[in-house]
């Protein structure tokens, strides 16, 4: 690409970083880094009533958590700031006045009640609701009279009649809109704050944005934005509208859909790995060449191709997400997995708030035992439950195992060997089991299954020798005595 690549992610601080917004940020980031361009983060905070405390900070925190950085923003500065819309009002006013002077815009004094009545009448007539243009030809005397009544004016853009607007979308191909489908629309609200479709064009143009990658729910906004580009004689950026993310029932992902975890901070709290979440998000509506699905962020940057953005909705597959995170969990250093998992055991009351060296070593060994099974760090609470029971609880399916004829001899022999052992480790347990096999003649399932059920209450589990060691002498001896 010959043109300097400059893309932006422009969140509104009306909520925390959502999976859909994270995807938008990530695709813009990958596109910029792949082409050696610039990635800009701009805050669109003009909807003051909907802004939430901490929303802005959350966006930045979790973009960093996912591995992204940026070249220009409110925290790092840049040549095209300010990067917060509420700090750019003077800039917008300059261009509003220019449109008013050139008669591309006009003041509208209609009240909300009048506009609603107009909409209802149009619907009753079977018409598509749009502004009638009631205020488009007011005289100076009309302006003076309406202002004397105390009416506040919004500013509307004068929509050209009979115009077609076509753009070549990176994902969708050619898209055409007709200007007659919309009425004159508000570019500045009565409170003096510019509307999204006006401010975003000024920001994108003045910040020299070359490509706009965003969700397809913004496609309909493009018509109004192209009108502003045309009014000022500016070249529009290249648009690319990514398909919607849908749930497994192929319904649009809704923030009310509780079957899917949707905010990035929730994944951190559950103990997912950021590189796994980043990898998963990259595959929501984009596909690499070949069958490989696990990629580091650097690898994603290297192979990212906007031409491979999907034209079909991206299905949020929770099974795929847990599979990907599990693959990353397996490869991670045990110290890292332990650091993520121990707080969950502490919150569950399984471990004290402060661990001494011995307790930390035991907890780390326990987590390592289950590392391959963990889809996220919080799984450790349920997986390791048997290690925190004082009394043995035998599963119903396991009870018949303890009724087999060789069981008393096996358990008695094992208890004797372990009590006489000078140490307590995996090698000691292995040696004791071999001696029990020789002494009782029990082997295979006839040996190992009764021992597993006697110490854990379960027929299935992780490595038996490690399980015995981690359960500890006191519990193991008590349970073997009860059943021997």
């Amino acid at each position: 690409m010959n043109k300097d690549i400059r893309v932006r992610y422009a969140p509104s601080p009306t909520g925390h970083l959502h999976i859909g917004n994270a995807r938008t940020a990530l695709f813009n980031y990958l596109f910029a880094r792949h082409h050696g361009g610039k990635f800009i983060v701009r805050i669109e905070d003009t909807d003051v009533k909907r802004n939430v405390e901490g929303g802005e900070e959350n966006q930045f925190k979790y973009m960093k958590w996912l591995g992204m950085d940026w070249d220009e923003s409110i925290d790092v500065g840049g040549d095209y700031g300010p990067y917060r819309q509420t700090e750019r009002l003077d800039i917008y006013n300059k261009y509003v006045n220019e449109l008013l002077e050139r008669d591309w815009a006009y003041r509208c004094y209609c009240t909300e009640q009048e506009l609603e009545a107009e909409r209802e009448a149009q619907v009753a007539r079977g018409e598509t609701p749009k502004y009638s243009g009631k205020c488009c030809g007011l005289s100076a005397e009309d302006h003076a009279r309406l202002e004397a009544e105390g009416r506040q004016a919004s500013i509307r853009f004068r929509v050209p009649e009979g115009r077609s607007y076509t753009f070549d979308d990176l994902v969708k191909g050619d898209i055409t809109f007709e200007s007659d489908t919309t009425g004159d629309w508000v570019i500045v609200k009565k409170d003096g704050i510019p509307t999204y479709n006006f401010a975003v064009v000024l920001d994108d143009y003045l910040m020299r944005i070359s490509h706009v990658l965003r969700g397809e729910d913004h496609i309909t906004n493009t018509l109004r934005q192209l009108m502003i580009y045309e009014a000022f004689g500016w070249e529009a950026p290249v648009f690319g509208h990514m398909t919607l993310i849908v749930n497994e029932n192929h319904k649009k992902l809704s923030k009310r859909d509780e079957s899917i975890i949707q905010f990035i901070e929730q994944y951190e709290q559950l103990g997912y790995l950021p590189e796994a979440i980043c990898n998963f998000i990259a595959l929501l509506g984009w596909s690499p060449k070949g069958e490989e699905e696990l990629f580091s962020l650097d690898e994603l940057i290297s192979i990212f191709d906007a031409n491979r953005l999907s034209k079909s909705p991206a299905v949020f597959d929770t099974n795929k997400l847990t599979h990907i995170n599990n693959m990353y969990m397996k490869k991670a250093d045990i110290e890292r997995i332990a650091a993520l998992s121990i707080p969950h055991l502490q919150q569950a009351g399984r471990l004290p708030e402060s661990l001494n060296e011995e307790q930390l070593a035991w907890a780390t060994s326990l987590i390592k035992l289950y590392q391959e099974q963990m889809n996220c760090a919080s799984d450790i609470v349920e997986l390791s439950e048997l290690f925190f029971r004082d009394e043995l609880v035998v599963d119903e399916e396991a009870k018949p195992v303890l009724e087999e004829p060789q069981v008393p001899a096996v358990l008695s022999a094992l208890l004797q060997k372990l009590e006489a052992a000078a140490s307590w480790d995996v090698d000691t347990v292995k040696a004791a089991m071999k001696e029990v096999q020789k002494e009782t003649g029990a082997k295979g399932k006839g040996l190992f299954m009764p021992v597993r059920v006697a110490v854990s209450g379960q027929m299935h589990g992780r490595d038996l020798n490690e399980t015995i060691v981690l359960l500890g002498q006191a519990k193991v001896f008590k349970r073997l005595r009860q059943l021997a």
Side-chain angles (χ1 to χ4, degrees), residues 142-200:
D142 292 329
H143 284 283
R145 174 178 54 80
L146 291 166
E147 287 177 6
E149 292 177 9
R151 295 202 183 203
Q152 288 183 303
S154 60
I155 298 176
R156 290 183 181 270
F157 182 81
R158 198 183 297 277
V159 174
E161 294 182 4
R163 286 275 289 107
S164 293
Y165 291 84
T166 299
F167 66 98
D168 183 9
D169 191 278
L170 269 175
V171 181
K172 308 286 186 179
D174 283 348
I175 296 176
T176 299
F177 291 110
E178 302 300 330
S179 64
D180 294 342
T181 60
T182 186
D184 296 348
W185 52 281
V186 175
I187 59 173
V188 180
K189 294 175 284 187
K190 293 181 188 294
D191 60 5
I193 301 296
T195 58
Y196 166 76
N197 280 316
F198 180 62
V200 72

Side-chain angles (χ1 to χ4, degrees), residues 273 329 332-342 367 371 374:
L273 298 179
M329 295 281 284
D333 293 338
I334 182 56
E335 290 77 17
R336 184 183 181 199
I337 301 303
L340 291 173
S341 303
I342 286 172
I367 293 160
Q371 184 174 356
M374 292 166 64

Side-chain angles (χ1 to χ4, degrees), residues 398 400-414 433-434 436-454 459 464 480:
V401 172
L402 297 178
E403 297 172 2
E404 294 173 5
Q406 83 284 10
V407 170
V410 167
L411 299 186
S412 294
L414 180 60
M433 294 289 278
K434 284 184 179 180
V436 170
Q437 180 179 341
K438 290 179 182 178
E439 186 174 308
T440 64
K443 58 184 179 179
K445 285 188 177 180
L447 169 63
F448 298 110
M449 193 63 74
V451 172
R452 181 178 291 282
V453 174
M459 291 179 63
L464 178 58
L480 290 176

Side-chain angles (χ1 to χ4, degrees), residues 240-284:
H241 290 90
M242 298 169 284
T243 54
L244 295 175
I245 300 175
V246 297
N247 62 23
E248 290 169 5
N249 296 319
H250 291 267
K251 292 184 178 179
K252 180 182 176 182
L253 201 62
S254 163
K255 291 179 181 178
R256 294 186 296 275
D257 186 348
E258 296 182 358
S259 66
I260 293 175
I261 299 168
Q262 297 193 37
F263 292 94
I264 302 302
E265 65 186 294
Q266 293 174 289
Y267 287 103
E268 182 197 37
Q269 291 163 0
L270 287 169
Y272 281 77
L273 298 179
E275 58 268 38
I277 298 297
C278 182
N279 192 154
F280 174 74
I281 291 173
L283 301 176
L284 285 173

Side-chain angles (χ1 to χ4, degrees), residues 85-150:
Q85 281 190 333
T86 51
E87 298 172 5
R88 297 174 62 82
L89 299 182
D90 288 344
I91 297 172
Y92 304 139
N93 287 337
K94 171 189 171 184
Y95 290 95
V96 170
N97 290 333
E98 183 178 335
L99 290 179
L100 287 168
E101 289 168 6
R102 294 169 51 204
D103 202 31
W104 274 94
Y106 59 89
R107 288 182 171 83
C108 171
Y109 296 90
C110 295
T111 65
E112 282 302 315
Q113 292 78 10
E114 290 169 338
L115 292 171
E116 182 59 31
E118 186 177 274
R119 282 192 290 268
E120 289 177 357
Q122 289 171 335
V123 171
R125 295 193 298 268
E127 301 171 0
T128 301
K130 63 180 181 179
Y131 182 60
S132 63
K134 178 180 177 181
C135 293
C136 70
L138 295 178
S139 66
E141 290 78 12
D142 292 329
H143 284 283
R145 174 178 54 80
L146 291 166
E147 287 177 6
E149 292 177 9

